[in-house]
Amino acid sequence: MPALHHQDSVFVLDLGADENRFSPDWLDDVHAALDTVVDGSAPAALVTTGSARFYSNGLDLDWLSAHGDQAQSYVADVQALLARVLTLPVPAVAAVNGHAFGAGAMLAMAHDFRVMRADRGYFCFPEADIDIPFTAGMAALIQAKLTPSAAIASMTTGRRFGGTDARDLGLVDDVAPEAELRDRAVERVRALAGKDRGTLGAIKSTMFAAAAAALHG
Amino acid sequence: MPALHHQDSVFVLDLGADENRFSPDWLDDVHAALDTVVDGSAPAALVTTGSARFYSNGLDLDWLSAHGDQAQSYVADVQALLARVLTLPVPAVAAVNGHAFGAGAMLAMAHDFRVMRADRGYFCFPEADIDIPFTAGMAALIQAKLTPSAAIASMTTGRRFGGTDARDLGLVDDVAPEAELRDRAVERVRALAGKDRGTLGAIKSTMFAAAAAALHG
Amino acid sequence: MPALHHQDSVFVLDLGADENRFSPDWLDDVHAALDTVVDGSAPAALVTTGSARFYSNGLDLDWLSAHGDQAQSYVADVQALLARVLTLPVPAVAAVNGHAFGAGAMLAMAHDFRVMRADRGYFCFPEADIDIPFTAGMAALIQAKLTPSAAIASMTTGRRFGGTDARDLGLVDDVAPEAELRDRAVERVRALAGKDRGTLGAIKSTMFAAAAAALHG
């Protein structure tokens, strides 16, 4: 279950202690947490992280296989969350504490910044191996955040990147030992928490207009 | 007052000895200088620089606050200059001698290359702090010249980058001591001065068609 | 004459032992070789390389000057090949064994990856010097694979890059001694040969939809 905590002006959203897959309930909980984060006008910034071995494994394939008739609206809901984080009106950083796979890795990419645990966990787009091509919106999101060579290396290979490799390729901005990960992520956005939400939201919405439009279908 | 000097085939356009803000007269003077640079067919290249503590501080906010009814046409004029430099039919390099803020930093970004003084001066997009979001054209210009991570780090934070940090992030291509700055910039384009203007103009207009169109509104 | 060889699951397409320019017959031969590579569903990956001093010198200007009335359809044919390689449903790497100029360099850029001989040969877009601006499709292809600064440095200058400089700028992913070049390229794609063609083709077609559309005019 996602849970939101305060650390001064920085909100830390714990995505959960299991695989943190995007079930419909999980999506609702995350949206509700984001409502709290962006509400009002006091300084605020967002850190997301998981509390066990996973950041997030992405799509809830169990739920999806049991609700095949809702696949289209489910993917639209996932993409709406990605678009919301991409254009969130407060600074946002993913503290990638463990495995980030598929849509879980996309959620990390939607943040302004990413810090990843150095010694364990993989950052991976497995789409090329599980025969689920990226939607136009998902590809646009990832490509809006990476150099072309990093996009090709990660999106066409299914390769699993440990923290250091992910940083060297630019999938994440920094790595940290597990014990320092959350603090390092907090440090990255704390000084930015005072930005005006309307301004920052407008800046991100302008910068990523094409990807956000593609995510909204 | 902007002033144009020759150095063999390289034109050095001095943007002025103060903050070099974009007043309407300043815009006219710069356009007239560019007319001289691109006129004819003899080898030519452009270096722009300031002659005191500033490269340029960008929009002339004093003039703008006194002429609020002309804000829309003023911004269109500024964007037209940015688009002209972006697609200039001769090689162009900014020698960033000091502070480059806001539209002043955008002017530098519009050039093919940027060399910045290493020890003093800041390169900064303060938009996130002064609550003036980038226009679609300005964002397109900057993003057409930077990696995604450099665009996010500079456009969403208001951070001021000294020369070395600006170079490490890719906001500028190189740094130089103040005494060597102008020569280093001249060196970067001198050998390119013989390119055919029609060809080079067509190449840049094709490469940056989307950003130029956004700047022209 | 292009010739196709097997090396386990990796197909090595030898582009020829001369300048390997894109004559109509050469284009037909390359398409026929690509038909073989993508046919069926057994694991497959593609390496292209030349067998003498050139990877490819690009457009067949002799043929073109003798068939000026067919220039438009010829360029369309060249762009169709570039688009096909850009979205090829198997992993593809260019082993740049020697000079890659103009459309020859674009062909290398169309592959997922590039490995270049370290000690001899130039990678060069001479368009700015030979007064043939990039078509919209060709520019879109190159820019889809490079950072903005690498695109400017290579597309507006006519500069010839040796292997190491090409790697440092990101024009190629890696360099190798001549004796190891082909093996290094094979190594880069061998483990990827098992990807499902439909999935990988869909991923690349989505990632590079804009460039492919521009190439198809």
Side-chain angles (χ1 to χ4, degrees):
Chain A
M1 289 282 298
L4 191 64
H5 308 278
H6 250 289
Q7 212 165 321
D8 305 329
S9 57
V10 179
F11 289 86
V12 177
L13 174 57
D14 182 343
L15 300 173
D18 57 16
E19 293 191 23
N20 310 330
R21 287 185 181 269
F22 298 1
S23 70
D25 285 347
W26 186 95
L27 289 171
D28 287 344
D29 288 348
V30 169
H31 273 298
L34 296 180
D35 289 343
T36 301
V37 171
V38 303
D39 189 43
S41 60
L46 173 69
V47 174
T48 62
T49 194
S51 50
R53 290 176 49 223
F54 296 87
Y55 176 77
S56 168
N57 254 350
L59 299 186
D60 189 337
L61 300 177
D62 287 345
W63 185 91
L64 195 54
S65 67
H67 303 79
D69 57 321
Q70 299 174 48
Q72 198 168 351
S73 68
Y74 171 71
V75 170
D77 288 346
V78 168
Q79 295 195 162
L81 175 65
L82 296 174
R84 185 179 187 188
V85 174
L86 179 65
T87 58
L88 203 72
V90 302
V93 56
V96 183
N97 60 293
H99 300 310
F101 272 67
M106 293 174 205
L107 178 62
M109 295 304 309
H111 293 67
D112 303 324
F113 309 104
R114 287 153 293 290
V115 183
M116 185 167 170
R117 181 178 169 182
D119 63 324
R120 292 191 63 179
Y122 289 116
F123 196 103
C124 176
F125 296 118
E127 279 73 8
D129 285 324
I130 60 176
D131 296 344
I132 302 177
F134 300 94
T135 65
M138 290 170 172
L141 161 66
I142 302 167
Q143 291 179 280
K145 294 297 184 88
L146 296 178
T147 63
S149 65
I152 292 167
S154 61
M155 296 173 72
T156 71
T157 65
R159 185 177 154 198
R160 302 172 177 210
F161 295 87
T164 305
D165 286 345
R167 192 229 11 230
D168 291 348
L169 190 64
L171 302 178
V172 303
D173 300 284
D174 199 4
V175 293
E178 184 190 19
E180 300 171 22
L181 178 69
R182 193 172 297 202
D183 286 350
R184 192 81 69 87
V186 168
E187 280 316 303
R188 201 167 254 272
V189 291
R190 189 201 303 275
L192 305 173
K195 306 293 181 203
D196 176 76
R197 284 165 175 67
T199 301
L200 190 58
I203 288 176
K204 292 192 205 174
S205 294
T206 300
M207 290 179 71
F208 301 113
L215 284 167
H216 283 303
Chain B
M1 288 281 297
L4 190 64
H5 309 279
H6 250 290
Q7 214 166 319
D8 306 329
S9 58
V10 179
F11 289 86
V12 177
L13 174 57
D14 183 342
L15 299 173
D18 56 15
E19 294 191 22
N20 310 329
R21 287 186 181 269
F22 298 3
S23 71
D25 285 347
W26 186 95
L27 290 171
D28 287 344
D29 288 348
V30 169
H31 273 299
L34 296 180
D35 290 344
T36 301
V37 171
V38 303
D39 189 44
S41 61
L46 173 68
V47 174
T48 61
T49 194
S51 50
R53 290 176 49 222
F54 298 87
Y55 176 78
S56 169
N57 254 350
L59 299 186
D60 189 338
L61 300 178
D62 287 344
W63 185 91
L64 196 54
S65 67
H67 302 79
D69 58 321
Q70 299 174 48
Q72 198 168 350
S73 67
Y74 171 71
V75 170
D77 288 347
V78 168
Q79 295 196 161
L81 176 65
L82 296 174
R84 185 180 188 188
V85 174
L86 179 64
T87 58
L88 204 71
V90 302
V93 56
V96 183
N97 59 292
H99 299 310
F101 272 67
M106 293 174 205
L107 178 62
M109 295 303 310
H111 293 67
D112 303 325
F113 310 103
R114 286 153 294 291
V115 182
M116 185 167 171
R117 181 178 170 181
D119 62 325
R120 292 191 64 177
Y122 289 115
F123 196 103
C124 176
F125 296 118
E127 279 73 7
D129 286 323
I130 60 176
D131 295 344
I132 302 179
F134 300 95
T135 65
M138 290 170 171
L141 162 65
I142 303 167
Q143 291 178 279
K145 295 297 184 89
L146 296 178
T147 61
S149 65
I152 293 167
S154 61
M155 295 173 72
T156 71
T157 65
R159 184 177 155 198
R160 302 170 177 212
F161 295 87
T164 305
D165 285 346
R167 192 235 2 238
D168 291 350
L169 190 63
L171 302 179
V172 302
D173 300 284
D174 199 4
V175 292
E178 184 189 18
E180 301 172 21
L181 179 68
R182 194 172 295 203
D183 286 349
R184 192 80 69 86
V186 168
E187 281 316 303
R188 200 166 255 271
V189 291
R190 189 201 303 275
L192 305 174
K195 306 294 181 203
D196 176 77
R197 284 165 175 68
T199 302
L200 190 58
I203 288 176
K204 292 192 205 174
S205 294
T206 300
M207 290 179 71
F208 301 113
L215 284 167
H216 283 303
Chain C
M1 289 281 299
L4 190 65
H5 308 279
H6 249 291
Q7 212 165 319
D8 306 331
S9 57
V10 179
F11 288 86
V12 177
L13 174 57
D14 182 342
L15 299 173
D18 56 14
E19 293 190 22
N20 310 331
R21 287 184 181 270
F22 298 3
S23 70
D25 285 347
W26 187 95
L27 289 171
D28 286 344
D29 288 348
V30 169
H31 273 298
L34 296 180
D35 289 344
T36 301
V37 171
V38 303
D39 190 44
S41 60
L46 174 68
V47 174
T48 63
T49 193
S51 50
R53 289 176 49 223
F54 297 87
Y55 176 77
S56 169
N57 254 350
L59 299 187
D60 188 337
L61 299 177
D62 287 344
W63 185 91
L64 196 54
S65 67
H67 301 80
D69 57 321
Q70 300 174 48
Q72 198 167 351
S73 68
Y74 171 71
V75 170
D77 288 347
V78 168
Q79 296 195 162
L81 175 65
L82 296 174
R84 186 179 187 189
V85 175
L86 179 65
T87 59
L88 204 72
V90 303
V93 57
V96 183
N97 59 292
H99 300 309
F101 273 67
M106 292 173 205
L107 178 62
M109 295 304 309
H111 293 68
D112 304 325
F113 310 103
R114 286 152 294 290
V115 183
M116 185 167 171
R117 181 177 169 182
D119 63 324
R120 292 191 64 177
Y122 289 115
F123 197 103
C124 176
F125 296 118
E127 279 73 7
D129 285 323
I130 59 175
D131 295 343
I132 302 178
F134 300 95
T135 65
M138 289 170 172
L141 162 65
I142 303 167
Q143 290 179 280
K145 294 298 185 88
L146 296 178
T147 62
S149 65
I152 293 167
S154 61
M155 296 173 73
T156 71
T157 65
R159 184 176 155 198
R160 302 170 177 212
F161 295 87
T164 305
D165 286 345
R167 192 231 8 231
D168 291 349
L169 190 64
L171 301 178
V172 303
D173 301 284
D174 199 5
V175 293
E178 184 189 18
E180 301 172 20
L181 178 68
R182 193 171 297 204
D183 286 350
R184 193 81 69 86
V186 167
E187 281 316 304
R188 202 166 253 270
V189 292
R190 190 201 302 276
L192 304 173
K195 306 293 182 203
D196 176 76
R197 284 166 176 67
T199 302
L200 190 57
I203 288 175
K204 292 192 205 175
S205 295
T206 300
M207 290 179 71
F208 301 113
L215 285 167
H216 284 305

